[in-house]
């Protein structure tokens, strides 16, 4: 009986501490490379912060901490920010972060009267903050 209680305590503590690991945020410091409409790279001195909150299932992006809905996929974290209605006017941003290298890309779309009127890309060279 003692062995069962001992194993039960270990199991409960293991679940508790493994849950704590997943509640931590992954914070990335990123250097930005902009890509113009013609597809040419533009150097940028800008930096951005990407905060992946696994518990809240949200990615907070940039200095304004815009909340992206997190989709935790096998190889990437994918964040979607959508505001509006595609039939009239909407903003739709998709942020993709590689889980191993933390290289990231942001695709920004503006929908105006059922059509995409602006489509721009940014790439981020990110390092995990300790």
């Amino acid at each position: 009986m003692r062995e069962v209680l001992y194993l039960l305590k270990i199991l409960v503590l293991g679940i508790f501490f493994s849950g704590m690991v997943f509640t931590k945020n992954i914070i990335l410091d990123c250097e930005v490379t902009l890509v113009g409409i013609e597809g040419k790279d533009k150097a940028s001195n800008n930096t951005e912060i990407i905060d992946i909150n696994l518990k809240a299932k949200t990615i907070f992006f940039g200095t304004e901490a815009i909340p992206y809905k997190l989709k935790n996929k096998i190889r990437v974290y994918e964040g979607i920010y959508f505001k509006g209605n595609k039939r009239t006017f909407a903003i739709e941003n998709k942020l993709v972060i590689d889980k191993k290298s933390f290289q990231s890309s942001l695709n920004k779309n503006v929908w105006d009267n059922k059509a995409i009127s602006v489509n721009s890309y940014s790439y981020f060279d990110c390092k995990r903050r300790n």
Side-chain angles (χ1 to χ4, degrees), residues 5-127:
L5 288 175
Y6 180 72
L7 290 174
L8 186 61
K9 284 181 184 180
I10 290 175
L11 179 65
V12 169
L13 287 173
I15 291 171
F16 175 75
F17 285 115
S18 67
M20 287 180 64
V21 169
F22 291 111
T23 60
K24 290 185 179 178
N25 293 11
I26 299 170
I27 300 175
L28 305 176
D29 292 311
C30 307
E31 294 180 17
V32 184
T33 300
L34 303 175
V35 178
I37 296 171
E38 302 86 27
K40 297 179 182 176
D41 288 351
K42 298 180 181 178
S44 173
N45 293 328
N46 293 341
T47 59
E48 294 288 0
I49 296 171
I50 299 174
D51 183 349
I52 306 167
N53 188 318
L54 298 172
K55 185 176 181 182
K57 296 182 181 177
T58 306
I59 300 174
F60 296 99
F61 174 76
T63 54
E64 297 176 20
I66 298 168
Y68 285 67
K69 184 177 180 182
L70 172 64
K71 293 182 179 180
N72 193 351
K73 298 190 174 184
I74 293 172
R75 292 189 176 93
V76 298
Y77 298 109
E78 183 179 295
I80 304 292
Y81 171 78
F82 182 80
K83 186 175 183 180
N85 183 331
K86 288 183 182 178
R87 283 173 282 161
T88 54
F89 181 81
I91 296 170
E92 181 183 52
N93 295 351
K94 181 177 176 182
L95 180 65
V96 178
I97 305 161
D98 185 279
K99 285 187 175 184
K100 287 185 180 178
S101 67
F102 294 120
Q103 301 307 300
S104 309
S105 64
L106 178 64
N107 182 4
K108 294 184 175 185
N109 295 321
V110 175
W111 295 76
D112 194 2
N113 197 19
K114 298 183 186 178
I116 298 176
S117 61
V118 176
N119 194 347
S120 65
Y121 301 91
S122 298
Y123 295 98
F124 305 94
D125 183 20
C126 302
K127 293 183 179 163

